[in-house]
Amino acid sequence: EPEVTQTPSHQVTQMGQEVILRCVPISNHLYFYWYRQILGQKVEFLVSFYNNEISEKSEIFDDQFSVERPDGSNFTLKIRSTKLEDSAMYFCASRAEGLAGEGLSEFFGPGTRLTVL
Amino acid sequence: AQSVAQPEDQVNVAEGNPLTVKCTYSVSGNPYLFWYVQYPNRGLQFLLKYITGDNLVKGSYGFEAEFNKSQTSFHLKKPSALVSDSALYFCAVRTARGSSASKIIFGSGTRLSIRP
């Protein structure tokens, strides 16, 4: 069964450093998302990406965040200057496009745990 | 604005008993509703969804959910709980964005604990 993969599984960084979280969505999917979950809390939407551009972003997704699909397979989330409060589990998700459209469910990756010291 | 609420932070059930995890929603138009499960240190796994049709939808691992339009609810149920069902459960609703990449928004989660 196809799956979304994410690397690394755990990233530890110093405050102020840049991090790049990587995701490989399912190959025929067209919609891509990043969500985050602060330990044990709600899963929060960060950004959606479709047709090589951001479709929607949340208030959390400020100028320190960016996304890119550099080569048609990877989907990355960059945080330019990490803050302590960026420590969370970051989930990538993808969704197909089809007749069922928005009735289809997202497939989530296993997550990257980001720890900012 | 669309939203989804899970009124219980924790649900405790004895193994073999039926379980219910509650969810209510607020959306404009017809809702697309989902349940996801998260096991410890794992990602989110899709359980089931309601798009249209039968109000009772069946999903993975013996779970089912009942869509109730008048009560704007989508409670998750299972007739006989297993200890292995212990996990964090999230109800979710898709925001209506037409053909663009409409997002899912999640409830706050309910921790289900099944005691032997």
Side-chain angles (χ1 to χ4, degrees):
Chain A
E1 185 176 325
E3 58 183 18
V4 177
T5 59
Q6 291 185 243
T7 54
S9 57
H10 192 186
Q11 174 90 47
V12 181
T13 189
Q14 295 289 326
M15 189 170 56
Q17 295 297 303
E18 175 184 285
V19 294
I20 298 176
L21 309 183
R22 291 185 167 79
C23 168
V24 179
I26 294 172
S27 62
N28 62 343
H29 286 188
L30 298 178
Y31 300 97
F32 311 110
Y33 307 83
W34 283 101
Y35 288 79
R36 80 172 186 189
Q37 182 185 33
I38 294 172
L39 186 61
Q41 295 184 26
K42 190 173 181 175
V43 179
E44 301 172 295
F45 167 78
L46 290 179
V47 65
S48 58
F49 192 87
Y50 172 71
N51 201 23
N52 287 319
E53 61 182 18
I54 290 174
S55 178
E56 185 178 355
K57 56 185 180 181
S58 71
E59 293 176 352
I60 304 168
F61 195 89
D62 61 21
D63 292 345
Q64 294 302 312
F65 291 86
S66 63
V67 289
E68 196 176 35
R69 189 160 160 78
D71 56 12
S73 62
N74 291 283
F75 180 51
T76 62
L77 174 69
K78 181 192 290 186
I79 309 175
R80 288 188 184 82
S81 178
T82 50
K83 303 186 285 287
L84 295 176
E85 54 265 38
D86 293 328
S87 294
M89 180 74 91
Y90 287 80
F91 293 107
C92 173
S94 68
R95 176 166 65 88
E97 182 174 44
L99 292 177
E102 294 162 321
L104 298 173
S105 61
E106 276 75 343
F107 285 76
F108 283 81
T112 293
R113 181 170 298 284
L114 177 64
T115 302
V116 182
L117 301 175
Chain B
Q2 285 87 348
S3 65
V4 59
Q6 293 179 245
E8 303 155 317
D9 290 337
Q10 175 118 11
V11 170
N12 300 308
V13 176
E15 187 175 30
N17 283 359
L19 68 88
T20 299
V21 183
K22 295 179 180 176
C23 171
T24 59
Y25 65 89
S26 173
V27 298
S28 54
N30 294 322
Y32 294 152
L33 297 159
F34 304 83
W35 275 100
Y36 282 82
V37 61
Q38 184 179 31
Y39 296 101
N41 301 312
R42 302 285 296 277
L44 295 160
Q45 295 181 34
F46 169 75
L47 269 182
L48 51 78
K49 64 183 178 185
Y50 172 81
I51 306 303
T52 187
D54 274 346
N55 290 341
L56 185 66
V57 292
K58 295 187 183 298
S60 307
Y61 312 120
F63 283 93
E64 57 190 28
E66 187 169 10
F67 171 66
N68 188 317
K69 189 172 183 178
S70 62
Q71 296 185 5
T72 62
S73 67
F74 189 56
H75 301 331
L76 181 70
K77 301 181 180 185
K78 188 172 181 180
S80 179
L82 299 172
V83 172
S84 57
D85 293 329
S86 298
L88 189 55
Y89 290 80
F90 290 97
C91 184
V93 62
R94 184 177 303 293
T95 59
R97 286 288 305 275
S99 61
S100 60
S102 61
K103 64 182 184 289
I104 277 180
I105 56 173
F106 288 88
S108 55
T110 298
R111 189 164 300 281
L112 178 63
S113 177
I114 309 299
R115 60 183 183 275

